[in-house]
Structures are given as structure tokens and as C-alpha cells.
Amino acid sequence: MPLSRIASQSHASNLLKPLSTALSLRRSISSDSTTPLTIETSLPFTSHKCDAPPRAVDTSASELFSFFRDMATMRRMEISADSLYKAKLIRGFCHLYDGQEAVAVGMEAAITKKDAIITAYRDHCTFVGRGGTLLEVFGELMGRTCGGSKGKGGSMHLYRKQDSFYGGHGIVGAQIPLGCGLAFAQRYSKEENVTFTMYGDGAANQGQLFEALNMAALWDLPAILVCENNHYGMGTAEWRASKSPAYYKRGDYVPGLKVDGMDVLAVKQACKFAKEHALKNGPLILEMDTYRYHGHSMSDPGSTYRTRDEISGVRQERDPIERVRKLLLAHDIASEKELKDLEKQVRKDVDDAIAKAKESPMPDPSELFTHVYVKGLGAESFGADRKEVRATLP
């Protein structure tokens, strides 16, 4: 079932569209591309106080191809952000997601944009998965007005309310109570939607997690807590920080599931299961066993607390993009050349987005006083030159 020829599109328009509708290397897949495929997950799920979902996952040629395309784009985006940071075009904090792409992509395959997601500071790929564009990401990282938060939030504060993405939070664990609050709002409004609250293993010992989880369990909220366990909280290995690193069990009375977070199909299956469970029974914890290739942030080389052999071993044996590449080849969905051509086009799309972001201006200093208060509810303040400034939305 080989793919048909590549149908090129206008690169300028692609920069302004989300991956799901307009990544530049669009293909018209043959008519049997939606024929169901059933593929078994790489590892079994491990459950706590619930039945595990089946390992056999329903998918299709077009879905597998979209998984490869989206993860390849996210990977290239993050690698390019690394280069921009080293060139001092990105300043401040910058936490990269390469290695963990299967979590963002697999989760989106199981839910809708009416389901909410909230995460910590490693948020670039989650934002793109929600519908954000490459231009919005690079614009925000470089502090330009074309950015997803108009250049005022930076790496840690991407946000897309229209697609139920609520950040992007810089304080460790602080997004967890907010996520349970979103689930409370869904329950209160009688919506058939859920909230995925993402956090890392480094936040798993926060007291606010257990306080919020207790309330979510008392009220049977549709809250799914997703621990992205990349095994290092900054530079501290999980076993040095947690007496019990089985994070999917840490909810005690709340059911949990451990998932191979490097297998996009396993993530999809787990998130589908979690949504169904949460709507019927209340909260659930998902532990995604994943890995970040970069250090904790751009200020961390990532090689002082782990060996290069460990990193290369994960790349060779568990890389999420390579797993999908093998499936595409094994099921004759695409050829090696087609996939390499796709990766070349992805690189060009990313480069085009960077070039366009560089052309965008920095925010005017007056923007410091906008998006502070609800429209119409301003406050008066005085600057250093004693000139009155009205802090209201335009």
C-alpha cells in the first residue's frame, strides 16, 4: 500500500496552520489507507486498582503516517530551538521535549480539542499538538509579536485556550491543582470531557498533587493525572528522590496505569482507556515511562548525572520516531526514500518558520500593560517618569 506522490503546498500558508491540517509535506494516501490495522503495543500495561486495556491497538496507514510526520516535526523543532538558544536568539529558560514526542502525539490521537490539557514548562510540543503552529512557537521563543503569547510569555508560557490548552506553567507542580480545577468545571458544567494534567517525576512528591488528587477523588472529577517519568528531576535520578518510584501507584485509592511512553500506540490506547474511565469513575493516574535526550534545560548539558551510553542506548532501542518508521516500512505504507523526503521537507518547514519569526518585531514596551486585567477593568499606575499609564486591554 505505497503512498502516492507528494503534493506540495504553499509554505507560507503552512506556517500558519496546525500540523493536523497543513504540515507542508501533504500526501494523498491510497484509498485503502483507512483500512484498519491492529498492532500490539511494545510492552504490556501495568495496572493498579483497575483492569489494564488490551495491548492490541486499532490504527490505520494514514494515522501511522501522521504519527511519524508530527513527531518528526516536533523533533526538528526542538533541535532547532537548541541551536537558536546557543546563538542567543532565545533567552531565559528553555526546556526541550525531544525523546518524549510519543506522549504528546499519542494523547491527541485519543481525545478531542474539547478535552483540556495543562502542563508544566516543557510545553512546546504539547502546544503544537493542540493546534499551535511552528511560527507561533519560534516567535514566542524569540520574544516576537507573532508568538503564541504575543512574545510576552516565552518558552514556559505557551497557551491556546481555543483548543483547551491552559499552559505552560513555570512553578513545579503548580499546574496540578489548576488541572483538577478544570476537571471540576467540566463536571459542574456536565460536559462529557476530561482534563489531562501533565507533570514530571520531579513534581511527583509535591504536597499539592496529593491535596488536589484527594479532592478529585472525593468528587469523582474527570481528572487524569499524567506523570511524564523521564527518570530525572533536573539532575536527580528518580530512585534518589522517591522512596517509591512506581508513580502510577502513588494515588493509593486512585487507580493507575503504567505505560510505555516511547510507544505512540500504547499512549493512544492508554489515553483512550483513561478518558472512558474518568468519565465513569473519576480520576486516574497515568505514568508515562519516557526519556528526554536533552538535559533538564538548556543550562544543563545532561551528561553529568547519566552516561552518554545510556542516552545512545535509549535512542537505539526505544526511540518513538524510529518505532513508527519500522511500522511504516513493515506494513508497506511508505518507502525509506519517501520517509527521508518527508524529513527533508520537515526541516525546510522549520527553517521557513524560523526565518519568518525573525522578521516579526519585538513587542512594543506599552504591551507590558496589556493582557493584565479583564477587558474594561483597568487600573491606574505610574511609571518611573511619573506619567500616568492605564493598564487596560486595547
Side-chain angles (χ1 to χ4, degrees):
M1 166 169 66
L3 297 172
S4 66
R5 275 212 173 274
I6 298 166
S8 61
Q9 287 189 323
S10 164
H11 300 311
S13 64
N14 289 331
L15 300 180
L16 304 175
K17 295 180 182 178
L19 294 182
S20 59
T21 58
L23 187 68
S24 47
L25 196 60
R26 294 294 298 273
R27 294 166 180 261
S28 174
I29 303 178
S30 55
S31 59
D32 58 347
S33 64
T34 56
T35 301
L37 295 172
T38 302
I39 298 173
E40 192 170 90
T41 61
S42 54
L43 294 171
F45 300 101
T46 308
S47 63
H48 168 68
K49 290 186 179 291
C50 65
D51 294 329
R55 291 180 65 183
V57 184
D58 293 331
T59 185
S60 65
S62 58
E63 183 176 66
L64 287 175
F65 183 74
S66 71
F67 287 163
F68 183 86
R69 177 196 67 195
D70 293 352
M71 289 194 291
T73 302
M74 291 175 179
R75 177 73 56 86
R76 188 64 203 170
M77 177 182 74
E78 295 294 69
I79 291 171
S80 296
D82 172 286
S83 299
L84 291 169
Y85 194 94
K86 290 172 180 174
K88 298 186 178 180
L89 290 170
I90 298 174
R91 301 292 187 122
F93 295 102
C94 186
H95 307 81
L96 302 181
Y97 201 73
D98 49 316
Q100 300 182 210
E101 300 92 348
V103 177
V105 173
M107 183 169 57
E108 289 293 347
I111 63 177
T112 74
K113 292 297 191 292
K114 290 186 177 180
D115 296 307
I117 298 177
I118 188 169
T119 190
Y121 37 75
R122 205 177 303 277
D123 61 346
H124 309 162
C125 294
T126 312
F127 173 77
V128 170
R130 287 272 87 181
T133 66
L134 293 172
L135 180 61
E136 288 174 321
V137 172
F138 287 117
E140 194 59 39
L141 292 178
M142 291 189 278
R144 310 302 175 108
T145 56
C146 66
S149 297
K150 301 188 182 301
K152 300 192 291 184
S155 170
M156 300 191 293
H157 299 290
L158 291 162
Y159 189 85
R160 192 174 177 85
K161 184 181 178 182
Q162 64 266 42
D163 288 319
S164 307
F165 179 57
Y166 295 95
H169 293 266
I171 304 301
V172 175
Q175 75 280 8
I176 300 171
L178 299 178
C180 290
L182 289 169
F184 176 83
Q186 290 167 330
R187 176 71 186 274
Y188 186 82
S189 302
K190 298 181 180 179
E191 299 173 5
E192 288 296 305
N193 303 112
V194 300
T195 296
F196 286 80
T197 299
M198 322 288 287
Y199 61 98
D201 51 290
N205 297 315
Q206 288 271 321
Q208 56 192 324
L209 186 159
F210 297 97
E211 293 178 55
L213 187 61
N214 179 63
M215 287 189 284
L218 279 171
W219 299 332
D220 295 327
L221 301 184
I224 299 163
L225 274 62
V226 183
C227 178
E228 292 186 276
N229 181 10
N230 59 30
H231 303 284
Y232 295 95
M234 297 185 72
T236 304
E238 58 179 347
W239 60 268
R240 294 182 62 200
S242 299
K243 182 65 177 176
S244 172
Y247 300 111
Y248 70 102
K249 294 182 179 180
R250 296 281 289 276
D252 185 18
Y253 43 82
V254 174
L257 197 67
K258 185 174 182 179
V259 185
D260 182 0
M262 305 293 271
D263 181 348
V264 67
L265 290 170
V267 175
K268 173 191 169 183
Q269 187 83 328
C271 290
K272 179 183 176 183
F273 170 85
K275 179 176 178 177
E276 293 171 355
H277 178 280
L279 288 172
K280 293 178 182 176
N281 306 304
L284 181 82
I285 295 176
L286 295 178
E287 178 187 344
M288 299 291 180
D289 180 4
T290 185
Y291 198 82
R292 56 169 163 80
Y293 295 148
H294 267 85
H296 170 72
S297 70
M298 284 302 298
S299 62
D300 167 26
S303 57
T304 57
Y305 48 86
R306 57 184 184 174
T307 66
R308 295 190 184 279
D309 287 344
E310 176 185 309
I311 301 168
S312 63
V314 175
R315 283 184 182 275
Q316 291 171 14
E317 297 175 15
R318 301 183 63 208
D319 185 84
I321 298 175
E322 293 308 310
R323 281 182 171 178
V324 176
R325 186 195 302 274
K326 290 175 182 176
L327 288 172
L328 290 169
L329 296 173
H331 290 272
D332 196 26
I333 297 169
S335 68
E336 190 72 59
K337 182 181 183 304
E338 286 177 316
L339 297 180
K340 287 187 180 298
D341 287 343
L342 170 61
E343 289 172 310
K344 288 179 184 177
Q345 188 62 56
V346 162
R347 182 188 293 255
K348 187 177 189 313
D349 283 344
V350 169
D351 290 346
D352 288 348
I354 293 170
K356 194 169 182 64
K358 287 178 179 178
E359 295 172 358
S360 181
M362 299 284 188
D364 187 270
S366 64
E367 285 293 311
L368 282 170
F369 302 99
T370 64
H371 304 102
V372 177
Y373 296 97
V374 174
K375 190 171 184 178
L377 300 177
E380 295 182 357
S381 62
F382 290 89
D385 59 359
R386 305 302 295 168
K387 289 183 178 179
E388 184 179 319
V389 177
R390 289 191 177 273
T392 58
L393 286 171

